[in-house]
Amino acid sequence: MKLNKKIKLLISADGGAGSGKTTASKIIAKDFGLKLLSSGLLYRYVAYKLLISNKIKNKKKFLMEITKKITLKKLKNKNLYSPKVTQYSSEISQIKYIRDLLKNFQKKFQKNRLCIIEGRDIGTIIAPKADLKLFFTCDLKVKSKRRFKKFKKINKKISLNNVRKALKLRDLKDTKRKISPLRPAKGAVIVDTSKININQMRAKLINIVLDVVKNKYGRNI
């Protein structure tokens, strides 16, 4: 179902932790042949580089250098998902200087408007002129169970209660932070994933994207 070459489409997908935005973004990217960028991986990459390079004299110069050399290939590093990186990436994501540096990468990524970018401030800050802005929500109990099922495969000692607390805390931090707080962009389509499975989500998303294409180009694909 790839788009006609003449169709240029930029989609932003925002939402809290475990809301389904990453899964949804992968579905859209695959079905419509769009490039996908998960902005959270950018912060994980920076956090990882800072952690393994602990003897830095000029941190700002170091950050400027590594952010200029980021590629999608580098963002596939499995080390970006370690607990330490996860924790540290959450901390540095609140630093304006780092957000500004990574904003440059995201702006270049969307230049040709054939992509979807997912994160927590995409529709409001990174891609305010996106053709389609999505905002994903999910009931805390539901997404906690989903995350628990996923994490249980990696860590058998993890508990549902701990997963729920972590998600609740992350959502609170994201919505209350001073820099780029998590909130729906103006005109965003709200997608509640609490009561739908992946197949239902895919059908819903396809219809939403096709409606946008039809309204902009006067045809489906």
Side-chain angles (χ1 to χ4, degrees), residues 15 31 66 80 97 124 132 150 160 172 205:
D31 284 352
I66 64 171
L80 302 187
Y97 178 73
T124 55
L132 171 61
K150 180 181 178 180
L160 176 59
L172 182 63
L205 293 171

Side-chain angles (χ1 to χ4, degrees), residues 11 24-34 116 134 205 209:
I11 301 175
S25 297
K26 288 179 179 178
I27 290 173
I28 293 174
K30 183 178 180 181
D31 284 352
F32 292 95
L34 301 176
I116 177 169
L134 298 168
L205 293 171
V209 174

Side-chain angles (χ1 to χ4, degrees), residues 39-50:
S39 65
L41 289 177
L42 296 173
Y43 293 96
R44 286 178 178 272
Y45 177 77
V46 172
Y48 171 68
K49 295 295 286 186
L50 286 172

Side-chain angles (χ1 to χ4, degrees), residues 70-203:
I70 296 177
T71 63
L72 292 180
K73 186 176 181 180
K74 290 180 179 179
L75 298 181
K76 293 180 180 180
N77 189 333
K78 292 182 180 180
N79 292 318
L80 302 187
Y81 294 93
S82 73
K84 284 187 177 180
V85 170
T86 299
Q87 176 62 36
Y88 195 37
S89 63
S90 179
E91 294 175 16
I92 66 169
S93 67
Q94 300 180 53
I95 301 174
K96 187 178 185 300
Y97 178 73
I98 292 178
R99 296 194 74 86
D100 288 342
L101 287 175
L102 295 178
K103 182 179 180 181
N104 293 332
F105 180 90
Q106 294 172 85
K107 288 291 185 181
K108 289 179 182 178
F109 183 83
Q110 63 180 280
K111 189 175 181 180
N112 294 324
R113 300 185 75 82
L114 281 170
C115 63
I116 177 169
I117 307 178
E118 63 98 351
R120 288 172 170 78
D121 66 344
I122 310 305
T124 55
I125 305 296
I126 303 301
K129 294 183 179 180
D131 300 294
L132 171 61
K133 299 175 183 178
L134 298 168
F135 190 88
F136 292 85
T137 64
C138 186
D139 179 77
L140 179 61
K141 289 183 179 180
V142 175
K143 66 182 183 180
S144 295
K145 288 180 180 179
R146 289 175 181 170
R147 275 289 174 93
F148 174 68
K149 186 178 180 181
K150 180 181 178 180
F151 290 169
K152 190 70 174 178
K153 296 178 182 178
I154 304 172
N155 181 6
K156 293 183 179 180
K157 294 182 179 180
I158 197 168
S159 70
L160 176 59
N161 188 47
N162 286 339
V163 172
R164 187 186 297 112
K165 285 182 178 179
L167 286 175
K168 186 177 181 179
L169 180 61
R170 183 62 191 273
D171 284 346
L172 182 63
K173 285 183 177 181
D174 286 339
T175 55
K176 298 297 182 181
R177 70 188 182 196
K178 293 182 179 180
I179 301 175
S180 301
L182 174 66
R183 65 175 184 272
K186 184 178 180 180
V189 178
I190 309 298
V191 181
D192 188 347
T193 65
S194 303
K195 298 180 181 180
I196 57 176
N197 57 38
I198 291 181
N199 291 330
Q200 292 170 325
M201 180 195 288
R202 180 172 183 266

